[in-house]
Amino acid sequence: MARTSSDKIPLPLIRNMDTIATMVEEGQVFGVSNVTIGTGITPVTGGYVATTPSFTFRNLGNKVMVPLFAKFYQTGTVADVRIAVHVSTLETGQFTSGTALTAYNRNQWSSNAATVSPFHTSTLPAFTTGNQRLRYTASIFQTVTAANADIDLFPEPGFTMVRPSGQLDIWTIGSTSAPTWFFSMEWAELDV
């Protein structure tokens, strides 16, 4: 990732990337999953629309957000043979609305609260030119009879960082209909 003169390298990330458990113990790792156990979330229908990501993470604090894991699998009948995944960041967050998800600290004894606000079925305004950066994209092919595997939406822990006031958006797009997801996503929040 290109750096600007105002960027700082978060030293805890460099020190602890091989030991995510250490960051959990320190209360720096947060997660989000389905609102109701056994109930999936159905985001975007049909094709890609730039202003309607499936999930949005707004970094409202003064820490760097580092995406770690995103596991998804479909509930019920599989939506499509092919699902496209796009993950992008915005240097300056843009957000109109969305359904809030409750972020939880992976260390249940930590008093640290998340400074990143997660949403599903989001709506964004038109992007400011040059603000959005595509960080990862993939296509998933599967059988159409049943959801038969989980899907990793992030290529690896720490594949990108989201600066304070920035945003991370995820699109999961069926070629003809929307998938319904069970999901678990985690991220670290590190001092800069």
Side-chain angles (χ1 to χ4, degrees), residues 35-92:
V35 177
T36 304
I37 294 174
T39 302
I41 289 179
T42 304
V44 179
T45 56
Y48 172 77
V49 178
T51 57
T52 56
S54 305
F55 296 90
T56 293
F57 294 84
R58 301 177 69 203
N59 190 357
L60 302 175
N62 58 358
K63 298 185 176 188
V64 170
M65 174 200 183
V66 180
L68 299 175
F69 302 104
K71 289 277 192 185
F72 278 49
Y73 71 93
Q74 289 192 63
T75 68
T77 305
V78 170
D80 281 294
V81 174
R82 178 182 169 275
I83 295 174
V85 173
H86 305 292
V87 180
S88 74
T89 58
L90 294 171
E91 291 189 17
T92 303

